[in-house]
Amino acid sequence: MTDYGHDLLFGTFITPAAQRARQVVDLAVTADRAGLDLVSFQDHPYQASFLDTSTLLAFAAARTERIHLNANVTSLPLRPPAVLARAAASLDILSGGRFELGIGAGAFWDGIAAMGGRRLSAAQGVTALREGIEIIREIWDTTISGEVNYDGQYYSVNGARRGPRPAHDIPVWVGAYKPKMLALTGAVADGWLPSIEYLPRGADSIPELNALIDGAAHDAGRDPAAVRRLMNFMNVQLSSAPRGLLNGPPAAWVDQIVDLALRHGISAFIIGGDDPSITQRFGAEIAPAVREAVERERTPAR
Amino acid sequence: MVMEIGIVLDASRLARAPLETVELARLAEERGLDLVVVADEATGRSAGLDPWTAAVWLAGSTSRIAIGAPAGAATTPDPTDPEAPYPSVITKAQDSIDILAQGRIISDPSGWVVAPRGAKPEELASLAEADLPVVVPVDSREDVERLAALAAGRDHQGGVRRRSTAVRAQRKPNIDYDGVPASLADTAVEPGDPPYRSLSSTYLRGGAPGLVLRPRTPAEVSDAIEFARRHRHLPLGIRSAGHGISGRSTNQGGLVIDVGAMNTIRVVDPARRLVRIGPGATWKQVAAALTPHGWALGSGDYGGVGVGGLATAAGIGLLSRNHGLTIDHLRSVDLVLADGRQVQASREHNPELFWAVRGAGANFGIATSFEFEVDEVGEVGWAQLVLLSTDIEQSLRRYAELASSAPRDTTVFFVTGQPREGMSTIQLFAVVDNPDPDTVVARLTPFLELGTLARQQVVMTPYSGVMGNAADVGPNGQQGFGEPNSRSAFLPAATPEFAHDAAAMLRSGGVYFFELRAMGGAIADIAAGEASFTHRTPAFQLTAMGQNNQRLNAVWEPMRPHSDGLYLSFETDRSPERLLDAFPAPVLERLRTLKRRYDPDNLFRDNFNIDPQTTKEPRA
Ligand SMILES: Cc1cc2nc3c(=O)[nH]c(=O)nc-3n(C[C@H](O)[C@H](O)[C@H](O)COP(=O)(O)OP(=O)(O)OC[C@H]3O[C@@H](n4cnc5c(N)ncnc54)[C@H](O)[C@@H]3O)c2cc1C
């Protein structure tokens, strides 16, 4: 049993299709009204049919009121860290503290190279991400006086202005699957944000991957609970018969999510599918039922 | 002159008090002001709001007012510099905000003039001489109200639609927007106008024309042609319903004449079943209008397709084996020629032109009305079957035998794609033009041996039920993307060798869409000389589409020995040799002679262009 004790978050993962721009924004508004906590968009700047994720996040943030937003996850190789940090902080300020930072080392290097980006090996990408996160946090930190100077292997800057300072402490959630990335996540990140479909053995992989993060956190002198465990579920379906993970009636969803929360410490559940009716029911029926059940389990019996 | 007035919001104020500051933008919008820009006046120790994020936020927080959103200066990409954005990503961000906040973004930082805080009306007026919007810094609701009161006194040009600076900023330098004929000014659409996105792309191809003219009458078509003649340096697309496979009814940066508004369907002589149809009608609409009379006019296999493009090419459809091609029902057509003249072509008037239009119409003029003699057609059997086959070669061979030897009343089209794990999904679209359900079943039953039946839907319905399954094109219009790649061929016969080679092509993965349209029957009853579409005797028309053109060409090559000619409606290759596949040499020669007479300057050239200047015919 692993439960890191985080409050639970429920969110959506919306395809940023340029052709359906209006529906994309409407889906974000639907998620907001449904009472969900997060709306997120993937970031693939080389994908011609997608909107620019940073632009979409700012636009959708303006159209929503309560929900938090994040890229799921930002492709660092095409988002220079200081630029990213300032855009993130700006949006956090404008939205009243509703922006979170999902970030990854980058995938699809051909696409990245085609946009003018730098091609890195997987190992190089991990180091670049570690550096990028350090720079981002430096830029955000206006309590220190003096400019940001950084001399890394992949990024260097002399005399970058600090700021703006975000409205809240923006957590950094890392999309990670492989040991090096998981180690980085445990060492420096505020959250782990993978998709269940990409885990080698689906939910069965979670204990082993959690352990890698926990170990890295210990080694870095951190409490493993400092790393929130989030999870994307791309293929979900509400159907009358239980057919699989998040593919069945609402009650089955509730049981599965409660189990993931209490047994595997997952505390954020982000669903794909671009379906407004599932979004609504996720917010209205499923999330409250899960919260109640998890709350009951977590409260020590008297 | 019309003065546009806007406000400047201070970035540090926006950062300090985002909600109240956004309210100022909303108030400006409510009061009819034209533009909001954010300016960073502070030079603090730490960096202020990211200007792009702030502009996008304002765009999302408002709905009509223009937003000044200058993107960051493009730097040379330096992956080691954490402060240097990638130009390609900046461009994408700009495209995206254009999509999200249609026509409201001014990205050129010299797109407005900043007046001093509290400027007097005279000052504003003199700054407005530059014909740019004038923006004034504001700090409070009172400031905005004061400006709005000034703005309310502006003159408005009577009658002429006024475009905002944001829209005008997207104009192309080589188009005389202000010279659009008065008759067309109201309906013309330019980049940034709200309907633009719905008219810029076609069914399969993305586009971004510089101007779309939307005539509603033949006289307006003449005006549009006159305008097009003044813009010979630009591509010109002729658009009816935007279902052209090659997508040439749109273009990049050029003109489009869209006759989609000319879509009426009217019975002119019930006794002779003469019906007049505008080019902008879709075949779904035509079928629905004819059903109450117990009539039908064969078209293709998809109701979303437009009359204009199909009735000027051929019209090989699910009724063709029993009732002939669509062009075989054409009795006369009204055209506007390249010189702006309105003419009628029929057997009696301009018979040469009438011959040319039925097959190569797009080269000769813009059709504004078609008169068809339609047939009595009762209920038909309409079947959509899905079959799974582990031996696509055998299925193709059997289909070819069955479809070509079937009685005329039975037309079956065959659609498939790449086999997955050895399994092909075959879709059959079949019409049996016979009111007796038992006959329908008897005619279709042999086709069930092509594979394992996975899904079937067979109904008795008027032809409108066959066309009715096409999705209506909604307010978003056609949403094609990129460049389609399609090859087309006529097959004199579908032989076992063809089945073998076609199966190999399908297995290659280079083709994601493959369709055989059965021909024969009534199509061949008409003499080849009747119209410039001369492919009367093929057994099938073949279409193959691929993601990658080079790859498609490579896998298509083995189809050539089996083919004789092509149907231009399904071909995207623009090389001149393809002309001879569409039009055999003597036909092409005759068309070219006519082209020299009717369009000597080659104004109409968007699709399968017969260049009047060419003296030597291309070789096959
Ligand atoms: C899903 C689908 C299924 C189809 N099935 C069939 C089928 O079964 N049988 C068949 O025969 N065809 C079929 N077609 C092809 C179709 O007939 C052609 O693509 C036709 O050109 C579409 O007409 P449109 O007016 O919708 O297209 P548009 O894109 O508006 O026009 C296409 C071209 O036609 C010309 N044109 C358009 N309007 C006029 C006009 N008023 N005057 C002169 N020229 C004009 C122009 O050259 C233009 O580039 C199909 C197409 C699609 C997309």
Side-chain angles (χ1 to χ4, degrees):
Chain A
M1 293 292 271
T2 320
D3 177 2
Y4 302 96
H6 296 119
D7 54 332
L8 301 185
L9 303 177
F10 298 85
T12 59
F13 184 100
I14 301 172
T15 314
Q19 287 194 30
R20 288 180 278 121
R22 188 170 306 179
Q23 287 101 304
V24 170
V25 175
D26 286 350
L27 274 169
V29 173
T30 302
D32 189 28
R33 298 205 177 131
L36 292 176
D37 307 291
L38 277 174
V39 57
S40 64
F41 307 99
Q42 51 195 312
D43 181 35
H44 297 292
Y46 34 79
Q47 169 59 269
S49 62
F50 284 179
L51 293 161
D52 172 59
T53 302
S54 299
T55 304
L56 175 59
L57 281 165
F59 195 86
R63 290 277 155 103
T64 51
E65 289 170 3
R66 227 188 23 74
I67 200 161
H68 289 227
L69 303 97
N70 67 288
N72 199 338
V73 292
T74 307
S75 174
L76 179 68
L78 288 171
R79 309 275 180 196
V83 178
L84 175 61
R86 294 194 182 115
S90 300
L91 187 49
D92 199 49
I93 293 166
L94 291 167
S95 65
R98 292 195 283 126
F99 188 76
E100 325 291 359
L101 188 70
I103 194 166
F108 306 106
W109 295 98
D110 287 342
I112 290 167
M115 293 291 279
R118 154 176 69 181
R119 208 185 272 273
L120 298 178
S121 71
Q124 291 171 329
V126 178
T127 311
L129 177 57
R130 184 184 289 262
E131 295 183 11
I133 293 174
E134 283 173 14
I135 294 170
I136 289 167
R137 287 182 171 148
E138 281 283 322
I139 294 281
W140 284 342
D141 188 353
T142 56
T143 60
I144 307 176
S145 60
E147 294 160 332
V148 177
N149 296 317
Y150 192 89
D151 185 18
Q153 240 175 299
Y154 296 99
Y155 295 105
S156 54
V157 66
N158 234 321
R161 278 213 285 178
R162 291 177 185 275
R165 181 199 170 108
H168 83 305
D169 278 334
I170 299 180
V172 177
W173 296 335
V174 173
Y177 299 94
K178 297 279 163 59
K180 282 203 179 71
M181 283 290 288
L182 293 163
L184 166 76
T185 305
V188 307
D190 306 301
W192 175 46
L193 178 51
S195 297
I196 194 122
E197 285 82 0
Y198 297 152
L199 302 186
R201 288 174 292 115
D204 292 343
S205 295
I206 298 175
E208 169 193 332
L209 303 177
N210 264 339
L212 288 172
I213 296 172
D214 295 351
H218 275 300
D219 292 348
R222 304 174 76 207
D223 178 358
V227 187
R228 179 192 273 284
R229 317 297 153 106
L230 306 94
M231 191 63 69
N232 296 313
F233 302 81
M234 258 85 108
N235 306 318
V236 301
Q237 211 47 255
L238 275 176
S239 45
S240 47
R243 297 212 181 87
L245 186 56
L246 303 201
N247 182 348
W253 280 48
V254 171
D255 291 347
Q256 291 163 344
I257 295 176
V258 168
D259 181 60
L260 287 167
L262 297 175
R263 216 150 53 82
H264 294 316
I266 306 295
S267 60
F269 303 86
I270 303 173
I271 59 165
D274 297 334
D275 182 330
S277 71
I278 296 183
T279 302
Q280 260 151 4
R281 297 185 64 184
F282 193 47
E285 295 172 36
I286 296 168
V290 173
R291 281 204 169 96
E292 201 187 300
V294 169
E295 199 49 46
R296 216 180 307 120
E297 289 297 322
R298 280 180 177 172
T299 315
R302 264 177 280 181
Chain B
M1 195 189 57
V2 181
M3 182 160 80
E4 287 182 58
I5 298 183
I7 61 171
V8 184
L9 297 175
D10 175 32
S12 54
R13 183 182 199 281
L14 187 57
R16 246 182 1 258
L19 292 180
E20 293 93 280
T21 312
V22 163
E23 277 314 312
L24 297 184
R26 294 215 176 99
L27 182 65
E29 171 165 278
E30 246 175 71
R31 295 290 182 267
L33 293 180
D34 302 287
L35 173 64
V36 184
V37 305
V38 180
D40 198 353
E41 297 184 348
T43 45
R45 186 172 59 86
S46 75
L49 283 184
D50 170 48
W52 178 255
T53 306
V56 174
W57 172 264
L58 283 176
S61 302
T62 51
S63 53
R64 182 200 56 78
I65 198 162
I67 308 289
T75 48
T76 359
D78 173 2
T80 66
D81 181 354
E83 294 191 283
Y86 288 95
S88 56
V89 178
I90 294 183
T91 306
K92 185 170 179 103
Q94 285 175 315
D95 289 351
S96 298
I97 191 60
D98 250 356
I99 294 172
L100 288 163
Q102 277 176 27
R104 297 171 50 212
I105 303 300
I106 305 181
S107 47
D108 179 1
S110 56
W112 56 85
V113 185
V114 182
R117 207 169 281 273
K120 301 265 170 336
E122 312 80 67
E123 265 178 282
L124 296 183
S126 89
L127 285 169
E129 298 285 312
D131 201 21
L132 289 173
V134 178
V135 292
V136 186
V138 294
D139 294 310
S140 62
R141 296 182 69 88
E142 291 68 45
D143 289 350
V144 177
E145 295 285 9
R146 239 189 325 269
L147 262 187
L150 279 179
R154 295 176 294 191
D155 336 321
H156 279 265
Q157 282 173 3
V160 178
R161 197 167 62 160
R162 177 170 162 267
R163 284 192 169 81
S164 71
T165 310
V167 170
R168 280 189 283 123
Q170 300 182 48
R171 289 183 160 185
K172 306 273 179 260
N174 50 8
I175 299 180
D176 176 18
Y177 291 94
D178 295 327
V180 170
S183 64
L184 298 167
D186 271 1
T187 50
V189 173
E190 24 177 297
D193 284 346
Y196 178 74
R197 289 228 168 240
S198 68
L199 289 170
S200 50
S201 294
T202 60
Y203 185 69
L204 290 176
R205 181 167 182 253
L211 178 65
V212 182
L213 297 174
R214 296 199 289 170
R216 292 156 295 193
T217 63
E220 290 184 10
V221 174
S222 289
D223 291 344
I225 287 178
E226 186 271 327
F227 186 84
R229 291 188 67 85
R230 289 198 279 121
H231 292 78
R232 293 291 320 277
H233 52 285
L234 296 176
L236 171 65
I238 309 302
R239 177 177 181 124
S240 287
H243 264 73
I245 300 279
S246 65
R248 298 294 147 186
S249 55
T250 189
N251 53 48
Q252 304 294 332
L255 303 182
V256 169
I257 299 178
D258 170 13
V259 294
M262 304 175 72
N263 62 353
T264 53
I265 303 167
R266 191 164 54 84
V267 176
V268 288
D269 183 341
R272 291 171 55 211
R273 295 190 303 274
L274 283 183
V275 183
R276 228 168 219 292
I277 304 178
T282 63
W283 290 106
K284 177 178 173 174
Q285 293 164 344
V286 172
L290 299 186
T291 289
H293 303 274
W295 304 339
L297 171 58
S299 43
D301 62 9
Y302 191 67
V305 168
V307 170
L310 182 136
T312 49
I316 304 170
L318 290 163
L319 289 180
S320 298
R321 283 167 56 79
N322 220 15
H323 297 273
L325 301 171
T326 309
I327 54 170
D328 298 339
H329 293 266
L330 189 61
R331 296 297 168 256
S332 87
V333 53
D334 294 352
L335 292 161
V336 184
L337 302 177
D339 60 8
R341 257 187 314 145
Q342 299 172 30
V343 298
Q344 189 166 80
S346 64
R347 275 206 189 92
E348 296 74 37
H349 302 104
N350 302 304
E352 283 286 276
L353 187 59
F354 188 53
W355 172 84
V357 169
R358 288 173 295 158
N363 268 284
F364 289 91
I366 300 181
T368 56
S369 178
F370 299 84
E371 193 168 285
F372 292 101
E373 182 178 332
V374 304
D375 284 344
E376 271 175 352
V377 178
E379 293 219 317
V380 301
W382 163 230
Q384 294 163 275
L385 309 178
V386 178
L387 298 141
L388 300 175
S389 165
T390 50
D391 185 350
I392 188 66
E393 177 177 341
Q394 169 62 19
S395 301
L396 277 165
R397 194 178 325 156
R398 195 69 192 118
Y399 160 75
E401 286 164 13
L402 290 170
S404 47
S405 62
R408 284 185 169 210
D409 63 6
T410 300
T411 308
V412 183
F413 289 179
F414 179 109
V415 173
T416 191
Q418 183 187 2
R420 301 280 167 195
E421 287 155 23
M423 179 78 82
S424 289
T425 305
I426 299 168
Q427 284 176 280
L428 298 181
F429 299 94
V431 162
V432 180
D433 182 11
N434 192 308
D436 170 33
D438 293 335
T439 308
V440 170
V441 171
R443 297 274 204 267
L444 293 174
T445 303
F447 288 89
L448 297 182
E449 66 178 83
L450 300 185
T452 313
L453 189 63
R455 214 172 330 135
Q456 62 165 325
Q457 197 191 334
V458 186
V459 290
M460 297 302 300
T461 172
Y463 182 64
S464 52
V466 179
M467 289 290 105
N469 65 339
D472 285 308
V473 174
N476 291 334
Q478 305 283 10
Q479 297 289 326
F481 214 81
E483 286 290 336
N485 306 301
S486 182
R487 294 289 87 87
S488 155
F490 286 117
L491 309 175
T495 58
E497 294 75 34
F498 163 77
H500 177 266
D501 292 347
M505 174 172 81
L506 286 165
R507 282 192 297 263
S508 77
V511 166
Y512 68 85
F513 177 89
F514 172 104
E515 181 163 8
L516 281 167
R517 289 180 168 81
M519 297 174 62
I523 300 173
D525 290 350
I526 307 280
E530 174 62 31
S532 60
F533 175 88
T534 55
H535 306 276
R536 294 282 171 182
T537 54
F540 294 95
Q541 190 276 328
L542 167 65
T543 302
M545 299 191 193
Q547 301 286 5
N548 177 303
N549 199 41
Q550 255 180 322
R551 177 124 187 266
L552 178 60
N553 276 337
V555 302
W556 174 259
E557 202 48 45
M559 294 296 106
R560 296 207 184 275
H562 304 293
S563 329
D564 180 17
L566 67 75
Y567 181 30
L568 61 79
S569 288
F570 291 112
E571 181 60 58
T572 59
D573 185 348
R574 312 187 79 210
S575 42
E577 305 90 82
R578 294 287 85 81
L579 264 183
L580 266 185
D581 293 335
F583 306 108
V587 177
L588 182 56
E589 208 174 303
R590 186 171 161 198
L591 284 169
R592 211 180 294 277
T593 308
L594 288 169
K595 178 80 172 177
R596 290 190 189 113
R597 183 180 333 152
Y598 285 105
D599 185 14
D601 302 328
N602 204 16
L603 184 70
F604 301 120
R605 58 187 183 283
D606 70 346
N607 207 17
F608 274 77
N609 183 216
I610 301 164
D611 187 338
Q613 302 305 330
T614 306
T615 47
K616 242 177 72 202
E617 295 300 346
R619 270 189 237 166

